Amino acid sequence: MEEKNRHKSIALTVCLIVVGVLLTAVLMCTGIISVKHFLISLNWEWNFWTCLEAIGTIGATIVALFGLNLKEVREKQRAVAKVVSSWISEDSEPNADGTAYVRKAIIHVNNESAEPVYDVTVNTTLDNGKHWLGPLSAPDLIPVLPAHRELQFDITIPMLGYRHMEMPQVACTFVDPNGRVWERNIDGKLRNCSKEKPHWVDQQDDELPVKGDDFTPFNPMAVCLMFLNALNKDPHGEAMRALISPQATGWGKVDWDELKRDYGNCVPTSNTRFPAPHVAIISLVADKSLQGKKSRRQRNDN
Protein backbone atom coordinates (compact mmCIF):
# COMPACT_ATOMS: atom_id res chain seq x y z
CA MET A 1 0.00 0.00 0.00
CA GLU A 2 2.86 2.40 0.83
CA GLU A 3 4.49 1.73 -2.56
CA LYS A 4 1.17 2.29 -4.34
CA ASN A 5 0.68 5.67 -2.57
CA ARG A 6 4.28 6.61 -3.41
CA HIS A 7 3.68 5.67 -7.03
CA LYS A 8 0.55 7.86 -7.19
CA SER A 9 2.41 10.76 -5.57
CA ILE A 10 5.22 10.55 -8.14
CA ALA A 11 2.73 10.41 -11.01
CA LEU A 12 0.87 13.46 -9.68
CA THR A 13 4.13 15.40 -9.28
CA VAL A 14 5.22 14.61 -12.82
CA CYS A 15 1.83 15.67 -14.21
CA LEU A 16 1.97 18.97 -12.33
CA ILE A 17 5.48 19.68 -13.64
CA VAL A 18 4.47 18.93 -17.22
CA VAL A 19 1.35 21.10 -16.94
CA GLY A 20 3.41 23.92 -15.41
CA VAL A 21 6.02 23.77 -18.16
CA LEU A 22 3.39 23.73 -20.90
CA LEU A 23 1.44 26.61 -19.36
CA THR A 24 4.56 28.74 -18.97
CA ALA A 25 5.60 28.08 -22.56
CA VAL A 26 2.15 29.03 -23.91
CA LEU A 27 2.04 32.22 -21.88
CA MET A 28 5.50 33.22 -23.09
CA CYS A 29 4.60 32.48 -26.71
CA THR A 30 1.48 34.60 -26.51
CA GLY A 31 3.35 37.48 -24.91
CA ILE A 32 1.41 37.43 -21.67
CA ILE A 33 4.68 36.65 -19.90
CA SER A 34 7.87 38.15 -21.28
CA VAL A 35 11.39 37.08 -20.62
CA LYS A 36 12.01 40.73 -19.75
CA HIS A 37 10.16 40.13 -16.49
CA PHE A 38 13.08 37.95 -15.32
CA LEU A 39 16.08 39.50 -13.59
CA ILE A 40 18.43 37.71 -15.97
CA SER A 41 18.43 38.97 -19.52
CA LEU A 42 17.98 36.20 -22.08
CA ASN A 43 18.86 36.80 -25.71
CA TRP A 44 16.62 34.09 -27.17
CA GLU A 45 14.05 34.50 -29.88
CA TRP A 46 10.91 32.78 -28.64
CA ASN A 47 8.70 31.29 -31.33
CA PHE A 48 6.45 28.31 -31.68
CA TRP A 49 9.10 25.83 -32.81
CA THR A 50 11.54 26.89 -30.11
CA CYS A 51 8.86 26.36 -27.47
CA LEU A 52 7.90 23.02 -28.95
CA GLU A 53 11.50 21.82 -28.96
CA ALA A 54 12.01 22.92 -25.35
CA ILE A 55 8.79 21.22 -24.25
CA GLY A 56 9.81 18.02 -26.06
CA THR A 57 13.22 17.98 -24.40
CA ILE A 58 11.77 18.56 -20.93
CA GLY A 59 9.01 16.00 -21.54
CA ALA A 60 11.49 13.37 -22.72
CA THR A 61 13.62 13.94 -19.63
CA ILE A 62 10.60 13.61 -17.34
CA VAL A 63 9.40 10.44 -19.11
CA ALA A 64 12.88 8.92 -18.85
CA LEU A 65 13.08 9.69 -15.14
CA PHE A 66 9.56 8.41 -14.60
CA GLY A 67 10.37 5.23 -16.54
CA LEU A 68 13.47 4.62 -14.45
CA ASN A 69 11.39 5.06 -11.30
CA LEU A 70 8.78 2.57 -12.52
CA LYS A 71 11.52 0.06 -13.32
CA GLU A 72 12.95 0.52 -9.84
CA VAL A 73 9.52 -0.03 -8.27
CA ARG A 74 8.98 -3.21 -10.31
CA GLU A 75 12.40 -4.54 -9.36
CA LYS A 76 11.65 -3.93 -5.68
CA GLN A 77 8.34 -5.74 -6.06
CA ARG A 78 10.11 -8.75 -7.61
CA ALA A 79 13.08 -8.69 -5.25
CA VAL A 80 11.79 -11.57 -3.11
CA ALA A 81 9.69 -13.45 -5.68
CA LYS A 82 12.42 -13.72 -8.31
CA VAL A 83 14.56 -15.93 -6.04
CA VAL A 84 11.75 -18.32 -5.06
CA SER A 85 11.66 -21.38 -7.29
CA SER A 86 10.43 -24.96 -7.58
CA TRP A 87 11.53 -27.94 -9.66
CA ILE A 88 11.61 -31.74 -9.73
CA SER A 89 14.82 -33.73 -9.82
CA GLU A 90 14.95 -37.35 -10.96
CA ASP A 91 17.51 -40.08 -10.48
CA SER A 92 17.66 -43.86 -10.89
CA GLU A 93 18.79 -45.91 -7.91
CA PRO A 94 19.15 -49.71 -7.60
CA ASN A 95 16.54 -51.51 -5.51
CA ALA A 96 17.33 -53.51 -2.38
CA ASP A 97 18.37 -56.71 -4.15
CA GLY A 98 20.06 -54.94 -7.06
CA THR A 99 17.87 -56.54 -9.71
CA ALA A 100 16.40 -53.32 -11.08
CA TYR A 101 16.59 -49.56 -10.90
CA VAL A 102 13.98 -47.42 -9.15
CA ARG A 103 13.02 -44.03 -10.57
CA LYS A 104 13.41 -41.58 -7.69
CA ALA A 105 11.74 -38.16 -7.95
CA ILE A 106 12.01 -35.22 -5.53
CA ILE A 107 10.07 -31.93 -5.45
CA HIS A 108 12.27 -28.97 -4.47
CA VAL A 109 10.84 -25.65 -3.23
CA ASN A 110 13.54 -23.07 -2.58
CA ASN A 111 13.56 -19.54 -1.13
CA GLU A 112 16.91 -17.78 -1.64
CA SER A 113 15.67 -14.37 -0.45
CA ALA A 114 16.36 -12.77 2.93
CA GLU A 115 12.63 -12.77 3.76
CA PRO A 116 10.08 -15.56 4.17
CA VAL A 117 7.21 -16.24 1.77
CA TYR A 118 3.80 -17.57 2.73
CA ASP A 119 0.95 -19.88 1.64
CA VAL A 120 3.11 -21.87 -0.76
CA THR A 121 1.27 -24.47 -2.87
CA VAL A 122 2.81 -26.88 -5.36
CA ASN A 123 1.15 -28.76 -8.21
CA THR A 124 2.79 -31.60 -10.12
CA THR A 125 2.04 -32.06 -13.79
CA LEU A 126 2.78 -34.71 -16.39
CA ASP A 127 3.20 -34.54 -20.14
CA ASN A 128 4.10 -30.84 -20.18
CA GLY A 129 0.99 -29.62 -18.40
CA LYS A 130 -1.63 -31.95 -19.89
CA HIS A 131 -2.24 -33.88 -16.66
CA TRP A 132 -2.21 -32.12 -13.28
CA LEU A 133 -1.85 -34.46 -10.30
CA GLY A 134 -1.88 -32.08 -7.35
CA PRO A 135 0.68 -31.77 -4.55
CA LEU A 136 1.34 -35.54 -4.25
CA SER A 137 3.62 -35.91 -1.20
CA ALA A 138 3.94 -32.17 -0.62
CA PRO A 139 1.49 -30.52 1.81
CA ASP A 140 -1.67 -28.92 0.43
CA LEU A 141 -0.44 -25.63 1.85
CA ILE A 142 2.98 -24.69 3.23
CA PRO A 143 2.17 -21.82 5.61
CA VAL A 144 5.70 -20.39 5.72
CA LEU A 145 8.82 -20.99 3.66
CA PRO A 146 11.60 -19.35 5.70
CA ALA A 147 14.40 -17.26 4.23
CA HIS A 148 17.32 -19.18 2.73
CA ARG A 149 15.49 -22.50 3.06
CA GLU A 150 14.86 -25.37 0.64
CA LEU A 151 12.14 -27.96 1.25
CA GLN A 152 12.21 -31.38 -0.41
CA PHE A 153 9.35 -33.85 -0.86
CA ASP A 154 9.87 -37.40 -2.09
CA ILE A 155 7.32 -38.31 -4.79
CA THR A 156 8.97 -41.61 -5.79
CA ILE A 157 6.02 -43.74 -4.66
CA PRO A 158 3.34 -41.49 -6.26
CA MET A 159 5.23 -41.63 -9.56
CA LEU A 160 5.22 -45.46 -9.61
CA GLY A 161 1.74 -45.32 -11.10
CA TYR A 162 2.82 -43.19 -14.08
CA ARG A 163 5.81 -45.06 -15.50
CA HIS A 164 4.79 -44.35 -19.10
CA MET A 165 5.01 -40.59 -18.56
CA GLU A 166 8.12 -38.51 -19.15
CA MET A 167 9.79 -36.42 -16.46
CA PRO A 168 7.22 -34.60 -14.29
CA GLN A 169 7.24 -30.84 -13.76
CA VAL A 170 5.98 -28.70 -10.91
CA ALA A 171 4.43 -25.23 -10.58
CA CYS A 172 4.08 -23.28 -7.35
CA THR A 173 2.24 -20.22 -6.06
CA PHE A 174 3.19 -18.15 -3.03
CA VAL A 175 2.59 -14.83 -1.28
CA ASP A 176 5.47 -12.40 -0.70
CA PRO A 177 5.88 -10.28 2.49
CA ASN A 178 3.91 -7.41 0.88
CA GLY A 179 0.88 -9.62 0.16
CA ARG A 180 1.44 -10.01 -3.60
CA VAL A 181 0.58 -13.40 -5.09
CA TRP A 182 3.11 -14.95 -7.49
CA GLU A 183 3.23 -18.04 -9.65
CA ARG A 184 6.35 -19.86 -10.77
CA ASN A 185 5.04 -21.97 -13.64
CA ILE A 186 6.37 -25.27 -14.98
CA ASP A 187 8.87 -23.63 -17.36
CA GLY A 188 10.31 -21.45 -14.59
CA LYS A 189 8.68 -18.16 -15.61
CA LEU A 190 7.53 -15.83 -12.82
CA ARG A 191 4.10 -14.20 -12.99
CA ASN A 192 2.40 -11.67 -10.72
CA CYS A 193 -1.19 -12.88 -10.28
CA SER A 194 -2.25 -10.61 -7.41
CA LYS A 195 -5.11 -9.16 -9.48
CA GLU A 196 -6.42 -12.55 -10.55
CA LYS A 197 -8.98 -14.89 -9.00
CA PRO A 198 -9.30 -18.69 -9.32
CA HIS A 199 -11.65 -20.16 -11.91
CA TRP A 200 -12.13 -23.46 -13.72
CA VAL A 201 -10.51 -24.02 -17.11
CA ASP A 202 -10.33 -27.01 -19.44
CA GLN A 203 -7.15 -29.03 -19.37
CA GLN A 204 -5.31 -29.71 -22.61
CA ASP A 205 -6.37 -33.35 -22.36
CA ASP A 206 -9.63 -34.33 -20.66
CA GLU A 207 -8.59 -37.97 -20.24
CA LEU A 208 -7.31 -39.01 -16.84
CA PRO A 209 -3.61 -39.99 -16.94
CA VAL A 210 -4.23 -43.73 -16.53
CA LYS A 211 -3.04 -46.20 -19.17
CA GLY A 212 -3.45 -49.97 -19.35
CA ASP A 213 -0.12 -50.62 -17.62
CA ASP A 214 -1.03 -48.18 -14.84
CA PHE A 215 -3.84 -50.27 -13.33
CA THR A 216 -1.78 -51.34 -10.35
CA PRO A 217 -2.12 -50.75 -6.59
CA PHE A 218 0.58 -48.09 -6.95
CA ASN A 219 -1.73 -45.87 -9.00
CA PRO A 220 -4.38 -44.35 -6.69
CA MET A 221 -6.32 -42.95 -9.65
CA ALA A 222 -6.65 -46.44 -11.14
CA VAL A 223 -7.82 -47.85 -7.80
CA CYS A 224 -10.32 -45.00 -7.44
CA LEU A 225 -11.75 -45.64 -10.92
CA MET A 226 -12.01 -49.37 -10.22
CA PHE A 227 -13.78 -48.65 -6.93
CA LEU A 228 -16.35 -46.32 -8.51
CA ASN A 229 -16.96 -48.77 -11.34
CA ALA A 230 -17.48 -51.65 -8.92
CA LEU A 231 -19.70 -49.49 -6.73
CA ASN A 232 -22.15 -49.04 -9.60
CA LYS A 233 -21.99 -52.62 -10.90
CA ASP A 234 -21.83 -54.33 -7.53
CA PRO A 235 -24.13 -52.36 -5.18
CA HIS A 236 -23.99 -55.01 -2.44
CA GLY A 237 -20.20 -54.99 -2.21
CA GLU A 238 -19.51 -58.64 -3.03
CA ALA A 239 -16.82 -57.98 -5.64
CA MET A 240 -15.81 -54.74 -3.91
CA ARG A 241 -14.06 -56.60 -1.12
CA ALA A 242 -11.24 -57.47 -3.52
CA LEU A 243 -10.24 -53.81 -3.43
CA ILE A 244 -10.35 -53.49 0.34
CA SER A 245 -7.41 -54.20 2.59
CA PRO A 246 -7.94 -56.91 5.24
CA GLN A 247 -6.73 -54.40 7.83
CA ALA A 248 -9.62 -52.05 6.96
CA THR A 249 -12.05 -53.78 9.31
CA GLY A 250 -14.46 -50.84 9.38
CA TRP A 251 -15.61 -51.61 5.84
CA GLY A 252 -17.37 -54.74 7.09
CA LYS A 253 -20.23 -52.63 8.45
CA VAL A 254 -20.67 -50.39 5.41
CA ASP A 255 -24.16 -49.90 3.97
CA TRP A 256 -23.36 -50.40 0.26
CA ASP A 257 -26.72 -49.12 -0.93
CA GLU A 258 -26.20 -45.86 0.93
CA LEU A 259 -22.63 -45.64 -0.33
CA LYS A 260 -23.83 -46.01 -3.92
CA ARG A 261 -26.46 -43.29 -3.42
CA ASP A 262 -23.85 -40.92 -2.00
CA TYR A 263 -20.93 -41.61 -4.36
CA GLY A 264 -22.24 -43.61 -7.33
CA ASN A 265 -22.51 -40.52 -9.52
CA CYS A 266 -19.20 -38.99 -8.48
CA VAL A 267 -16.09 -38.65 -10.63
CA PRO A 268 -12.51 -38.26 -9.37
CA THR A 269 -10.63 -35.00 -9.59
CA SER A 270 -7.01 -35.05 -10.72
CA ASN A 271 -5.85 -33.74 -7.32
CA THR A 272 -3.97 -36.51 -5.49
CA ARG A 273 -2.34 -36.23 -2.07
CA PHE A 274 -0.06 -38.67 -0.28
CA PRO A 275 -0.19 -37.80 3.45
CA ALA A 276 1.82 -40.98 4.14
CA PRO A 277 4.07 -43.10 1.86
CA HIS A 278 1.41 -45.72 1.02
CA VAL A 279 -1.74 -43.70 1.64
CA ALA A 280 -3.35 -41.63 -1.14
CA ILE A 281 -6.32 -39.27 -1.00
CA ILE A 282 -8.33 -38.37 -4.11
CA SER A 283 -11.18 -35.88 -3.99
CA LEU A 284 -14.48 -36.82 -5.62
CA VAL A 285 -16.92 -34.37 -7.17
CA ALA A 286 -20.56 -34.95 -8.06
CA ASP A 287 -20.56 -32.26 -10.75
CA LYS A 288 -19.43 -34.15 -13.85
CA SER A 289 -18.98 -30.90 -15.75
CA LEU A 290 -15.85 -30.30 -13.65
CA GLN A 291 -14.21 -33.55 -14.75
CA GLY A 292 -11.09 -32.84 -16.75
CA LYS A 293 -10.85 -29.26 -15.48
CA LYS A 294 -8.36 -27.56 -13.22
CA SER A 295 -8.39 -24.38 -11.18
CA ARG A 296 -6.54 -21.38 -12.54
CA ARG A 297 -6.39 -17.68 -11.68
CA GLN A 298 -8.02 -15.12 -13.95
CA ARG A 299 -7.67 -11.34 -14.00
CA ASN A 300 -10.00 -9.37 -11.76
CA ASP A 301 -9.48 -5.64 -12.34
CA ASN A 302 -12.54 -4.59 -10.35
Side-chain angles (χ1 to χ4, degrees):
M1 183 61 70
E2 291 181 359
E3 287 187 0
K4 184 178 291 186
N5 292 335
R6 179 169 170 265
H7 191 185
K8 290 181 178 178
S9 177
I10 293 172
L12 180 60
T13 302
V14 170
C15 290
L16 290 175
I17 293 174
V18 171
V19 170
V21 171
L22 292 174
L23 182 60
T24 302
V26 169
L27 292 176
M28 294 180 71
C29 287
T30 55
I32 297 176
I33 295 180
S34 173
V35 293
K36 295 179 180 179
H37 295 163
F38 293 99
L39 296 178
I40 300 176
S41 177
L42 298 177
N43 295 320
W44 193 0
E45 182 183 353
W46 286 88
N47 55 45
F48 174 78
W49 297 110
T50 303
C51 292
L52 191 61
E53 183 180 354
I55 292 170
T57 302
I58 295 173
T61 303
I62 292 173
V63 169
L65 293 174
F66 189 56
L68 288 174
N69 185 266
L70 285 178
K71 184 178 180 181
E72 181 183 354
V73 170
R74 291 194 185 99
E75 285 300 317
K76 286 183 178 180
Q77 290 178 349
R78 295 169 56 91
V80 173
K82 69 181 181 181
V83 287
V84 177
S85 57
S86 61
W87 70 95
I88 292 179
S89 63
E90 280 195 312
D91 196 8
S92 296
E93 297 183 357
N95 59 8
D97 58 10
T99 59
Y101 281 89
V102 178
R103 175 189 187 185
K104 186 173 183 179
I106 304 291
I107 292 177
H108 302 261
V109 186
N110 187 34
N111 178 15
E112 288 292 340
S113 75
E115 298 185 67
V117 295
Y118 307 93
D119 296 341
V120 183
T121 61
V122 298
N123 196 354
T124 304
T125 180
L126 300 174
D127 204 8
N128 199 31
K130 290 185 178 180
H131 306 294
W132 293 86
L133 303 181
L136 299 182
S137 298
D140 276 344
L141 183 70
I142 304 170
V144 181
L145 178 57
H148 304 296
R149 180 73 63 85
E150 179 182 317
L151 302 181
Q152 298 184 7
F153 306 99
D154 193 334
I155 59 171
T156 300
I157 292 178
M159 291 308 301
L160 290 176
Y162 305 99
R163 295 179 180 178
H164 67 281
M165 292 291 185
E166 296 181 358
M167 182 174 179
Q169 297 170 292
V170 66
C172 76
T173 60
F174 56 92
V175 180
D176 70 15
N178 292 313
R180 284 181 287 269
V181 182
W182 299 87
E183 178 190 56
R184 179 76 69 178
N185 59 28
I186 59 176
D187 58 5
K189 293 182 180 179
L190 184 66
R191 186 171 67 92
N192 186 343
C193 48
S194 301
K195 294 183 179 181
E196 303 175 8
K197 62 180 181 180
H199 70 296
W200 292 105
V201 296
D202 290 329
Q203 295 195 74
Q204 298 176 24
D205 188 343
D206 288 341
E207 295 182 4
L208 292 171
V210 180
K211 305 297 182 182
D213 296 337
D214 295 334
F215 278 91
T216 70
F218 292 109
N219 191 313
M221 186 63 69
V223 174
C224 180
L225 292 172
M226 293 169 64
F227 181 87
L228 292 174
N229 183 59
L231 185 63
N232 287 290
K233 294 184 177 180
D234 179 36
H236 301 294
E238 295 177 2
M240 188 81 70
R241 289 176 175 80
L243 297 173
I244 298 174
S245 170
Q247 288 75 28
T249 56
W251 282 92
K253 301 178 181 179
V254 168
D255 185 337
W256 294 101
D257 291 330
E258 181 181 357
L259 194 66
K260 180 181 178 181
R261 288 194 301 270
D262 292 342
Y263 301 103
N265 294 323
C266 289
V267 293
T269 65
S270 61
N271 193 301
T272 308
R273 294 187 296 113
F274 284 75
H278 293 279
V279 177
I281 297 176
I282 295 178
S283 300
L284 302 178
V285 60
D287 187 352
K288 293 186 178 182
S289 67
L290 297 180
Q291 186 175 15
K293 295 181 182 290
K294 68 185 182 75
S295 178
R296 182 180 179 183
R297 288 179 173 269
Q298 68 178 4
R299 292 193 63 82
N300 180 21
D301 296 325
N302 295 329

